Amino acid sequence: MAPHDAVLGWNEDTTAEAYAAFTRDFPMYSATSRDLAQRARLTDSRLVLDLCGGAGTTAAAILELAPLQARVISLDNAAAMQRAGKRTMTDPRLTWITAPAEDLAAHVPSPADAVVCNSAIWKTDVPAVFAAVHQVLRSGGRFVFNIGGGFAGVSHPDETGRTGPSLNTLIRQIAARDYGYTPPRPGADTPPKLPLEAVTKHLSAAGMTVLETEIVAQHSTMAEKKAWLTIPVFARPDGGDFTHEQRMDILNKAYALTTPDTATTTSWLVVVAQRPREGR
């Protein structure tokens, strides 16, 4: 079963506003968005799709790198997220479309030079989305996306070298102590949800080729991690009959056991794929 934030809560204004505030106050999403946009090679692009674009952080990075004549479509299934983005993003080159990622081919008017998706592929029907991306990309167009290390089953050396308990570990401990929470016990052989082998297989089935992959590290602090976990869809622990207020109580108690500027690291698998050029 996917975590509770996979499908629920994204179309709620409380989540959308908290998420948009986080992207303004902390660099995680803007940094990962710039990385993906740079890998998409947007120098000569005219149409770029921001897939599962949320409140528009990735669209903003694309607009910074794409030429002035380029248009950007930000497609997301959550109207609340897009409403939050529209309040601060008024670039006339940006179009917002509310639709599922799987339906993107029905909403893209002409071949796209690139499709970029930041941290959301795992929430979709991956084979269907990859097929739709292939359909909308021009010959030679790039598809660039990332997958959280936990879902991809990868870890950057910077993350594996961490000392001390993570904030998530402390949250589970506080929840068990104060609320009788029993965390799920996954089997030792539980496979990752979206490893590179599966990604490559799905891309190949969709008619695309992998150009490059890289495991990258995103560095932040306990303060940023705590702010991220206050967003309702990300609040922990998973499972259990907790209200949001109870999760925030657990988070605050766990955070009190940390130092705000302690460095934290998350791992990401970055994939750059391409619709093959015609004749090859």
Side-chain angles (χ1 to χ4, degrees):
M1 181 180 295
H4 68 280
D5 59 294
V7 293
L8 300 176
W10 284 102
N11 201 28
E12 296 176 1
D13 287 328
T14 52
T15 288
E17 294 301 330
Y19 176 89
F22 177 87
T23 62
R24 291 192 299 268
D25 295 340
F26 295 95
M28 182 179 78
Y29 281 109
S30 58
T32 52
S33 293
R34 283 193 301 272
D35 176 58
L36 296 178
Q38 288 169 348
R39 293 172 189 260
R41 296 187 179 177
L42 304 175
T43 304
D44 298 320
S45 59
R46 291 186 175 274
L47 177 63
V48 183
L49 177 63
D50 172 21
L51 185 62
C52 303
T57 301
T58 303
I62 293 170
L63 287 165
E64 288 180 3
L65 293 175
L68 291 177
Q69 73 270 19
R71 294 183 299 119
V72 177
I73 294 175
S74 185
L75 184 142
D76 196 279
N77 201 29
M81 294 289 285
Q82 294 186 328
R83 285 195 297 270
K86 289 176 182 179
R87 281 192 275 274
T88 58
M89 296 187 63
T90 58
D91 194 309
R93 297 178 293 162
L94 175 61
T95 300
W96 303 84
I97 293 178
T98 306
E102 294 78 5
D103 296 343
L104 70 95
H107 299 279
V108 176
S110 58
D113 297 287
V115 176
V116 180
C117 183
N118 190 354
S119 69
I121 281 293
W122 66 275
K123 300 177 186 179
T124 70
D125 179 341
V126 172
V129 168
F130 285 4
V133 169
H134 177 271
Q135 185 175 344
V136 304
L137 277 176
R138 65 165 173 79
S139 171
R142 287 194 165 203
F143 179 30
V144 185
F145 58 95
N146 56 13
I147 305 169
F151 292 107
V154 299
S155 294
H156 190 276
D158 288 359
E159 182 178 10
T160 56
R162 178 181 59 202
T163 59
S166 69
L167 189 54
N168 281 332
T169 296
L170 293 171
I171 285 171
R172 290 191 292 268
Q173 292 173 353
I174 297 297
R177 185 193 71 188
D178 293 357
Y179 290 89
Y181 170 71
T182 302
R185 301 181 64 181
D189 297 325
T190 300
K193 297 179 184 297
L194 198 55
L196 179 58
E197 180 181 2
V199 170
T200 302
K201 178 181 177 181
H202 293 317
L203 286 169
S204 178
M208 287 185 285
T209 57
V210 176
L211 297 181
E212 64 176 280
T213 65
E214 184 180 359
I215 300 170
V216 301
Q218 178 65 30
H219 301 282
S220 59
T221 64
M222 281 289 185
E224 182 173 359
K225 179 70 172 179
K226 190 242 186 181
W228 185 71
L229 290 172
T230 63
I231 301 171
V233 294
F234 295 141
R236 296 294 183 263
D238 281 333
D241 189 20
F242 294 102
T243 65
H244 184 66
E245 289 72 21
Q246 288 172 329
R247 286 191 169 95
M248 292 303 95
D249 174 62
I250 294 167
L251 173 60
N252 288 329
K253 290 175 178 176
Y255 182 65
L257 301 176
T258 71
T259 303
D261 59 356
T262 296
T264 65
T265 304
T266 54
S267 300
W268 297 84
L269 173 64
V270 178
V271 179
V272 180
Q274 183 180 51
R275 175 169 177 163
R277 299 183 185 279
E278 293 180 0
R280 293 190 178 185

